[in-house]
């Protein structure tokens, strides 16, 4: 089942990339095996560094559920969350995060998450229990497509 949700996240990321909204990051919030929200990176569209796919999806899910508390929800994202998005997942009480590409993979498309990660957190404490990798090959394919477009890197 998780692979189906990661495929939805990939589809959402492609939609954003095709529209020039931002990087190849799509995200799906699921509760009780039901998709609550889908979103993609809109940093370039909104000219706002905080409009990552996870943040956008969390905002949509909270609005739809009419609560800031997303307990019982899981998030599926094409790239391992940066520090900001990981913090948002934790603050909104997301139960589990499933991701495709790793922080190191994110660098393949020009993102500098690892730089901040190395300075500020020991992510490894969360890997396995809270952060679970799934669908990496499919997400790497998405990243390759993005690189092939010659899209703006930021």
């Amino acid at each position: 089942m998780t692979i189906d949700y990661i495929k939805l996240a990939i589809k959402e990321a492609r939609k954003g990339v095709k529209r020039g909204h931002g990087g190849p990051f799509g995200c799906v919030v699921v509760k009780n095996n039901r998709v609550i929200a889908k979103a993609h990176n809109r940093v370039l569209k909104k000219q706002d560094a905080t409009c990552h796919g996870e943040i956008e999806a969390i905002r949509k899910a909270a609005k739809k559920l009419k609560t800031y508390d997303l307990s019982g929800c899981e998030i599926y994202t094409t790239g391992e969350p940066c520090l900001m998005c990981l913090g948002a997942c934790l603050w909104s009480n997301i139960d589990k995060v499933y991701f495709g590409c790793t922080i190191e993979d994110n660098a393949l498309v020009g993102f500098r998450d690892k730089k901040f990660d190395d300075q500020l957190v020991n992510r490894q404490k969360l890997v396995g229990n809270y952060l679970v990798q799934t669908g990496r090959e499919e997400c790497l394919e998405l990243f390759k497509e993005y690189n092939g477009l010659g899209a703006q890197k930021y």
Side-chain angles (χ1 to χ4, degrees), residues 55-154:
I55 301 292
E56 297 285 284
I58 287 169
R59 288 175 179 153
K60 283 184 175 182
K63 185 174 182 177
K64 184 171 184 177
L65 296 174
K66 297 181 170 107
T67 181
Y68 62 88
D69 184 355
L70 299 181
S71 294
C73 292
E74 298 173 332
I75 208 163
Y76 296 80
T77 184
T78 57
E80 186 174 358
C82 70
L83 286 173
M84 175 182 69
C85 293
L86 179 56
C89 290
L90 291 164
W91 276 108
S92 62
N93 296 316
I94 296 284
D95 287 354
K96 193 166 284 230
V97 176
Y98 294 93
F99 65 93
C101 290
T102 65
I103 288 292
E104 290 80 10
D105 295 331
N106 293 348
L108 297 172
V109 290
F111 289 82
R112 53 203 165 112
D113 303 339
K114 186 165 177 11
K115 172 185 170 182
F116 303 120
D117 232 41
D118 289 347
Q119 293 172 350
L120 301 171
V121 74
N122 182 357
R123 178 180 296 268
Q124 291 310 111
K125 289 180 182 178
L126 298 173
V127 173
N129 292 321
Y130 187 72
L131 290 168
V132 180
Q133 188 174 21
T134 185
R136 180 173 184 261
E137 292 306 315
E138 293 93 334
C139 293
L140 278 173
E141 213 33 63
L142 168 69
F143 281 21
K144 287 177 191 171
E145 289 172 27
Y146 178 74
N147 274 338
L149 296 174
Q152 179 182 346
K153 306 259 173 123
Y154 54 94

Side-chain angles (χ1 to χ4, degrees), residues 45-56:
K45 178 179 174 51
K46 289 186 168 183
Q47 293 299 298
D48 181 342
T50 68
C51 292
H52 292 195
E54 296 91 340
I55 301 292
E56 297 285 284

